[in-house]
């Protein structure tokens, strides 16, 4: 009887020592889940930024297709784009080329350049 108890105690000690040297699968799994969630958050953030840029470009045109119908909206053109248009004009770039580069319509480019075209004449 004592031999059986000593054998069981020895087996328990051996199994306990083996469990200390065995890799913890939970921590590895936890790290993988954390990495995946961080990757998902980064991708989500990047997609939101791209959508925001696309929306800004859509609204720069002043028109937006909504359910197949043209929807026009007055938008304020940023000062950066205005400065870019003016700089391109003074470099001798044509109005059509400026419109293509700045993603504006030719009418918008002409409106921006109207005071500068009068000064040049």
């Amino acid at each position: 009887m004592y031999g059986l108890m000593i054998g069981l105690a020895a087996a328990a000690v051996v199994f306990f020592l083996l469990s200390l040297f065995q890799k913890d699968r939970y921590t590895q799994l936890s790290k993988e889940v954390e990495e995946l969630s961080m990757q998902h958050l980064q991708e989500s953030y990047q997609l939101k930024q791209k959508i925001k840029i696309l929306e800004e470009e859509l609204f720069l045109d002043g028109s937006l297709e909504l359910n197949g119908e043209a929807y026009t909206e007055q938008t304020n053109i940023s000062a950066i784009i205005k400065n870019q248009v003016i700089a391109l004009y003074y470099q001798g770039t044509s109005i059509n080329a400026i419109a293509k580069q700045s993603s504006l319509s030719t009418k918008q480019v002409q409106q921006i350049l109207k005071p500068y075209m009068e000064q040049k004449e």
Side-chain angles (χ1 to χ4, degrees), residues 3 9 15 17 21 23 25 30 39 42 51 55 66 68 77 91 93 109 121:
F15 287 129
L17 291 174
F21 293 112
K23 287 186 178 181
R25 292 182 185 161
S30 174
Q39 185 180 15
Q42 288 174 346
I51 289 172
E55 286 175 346
L66 186 62
I77 300 170
Q91 291 174 4
T93 310
V109 172
E121 295 173 357

Side-chain angles (χ1 to χ4, degrees), residues 85 87-99 101 113 120:
V85 167
L88 287 171
Y89 176 71
Y90 280 121
Q91 291 174 4
T93 310
S94 70
I95 292 179
N96 290 334
I98 293 172
Q101 279 186 328
L113 294 177
K120 219 174 186 184

Side-chain angles (χ1 to χ4, degrees), residues 9 26 39 51 62 81 83 85 100:
Y26 176 74
Q39 185 180 15
I51 289 172
I81 294 177
N83 290 335
V85 167
K100 286 180 184 177

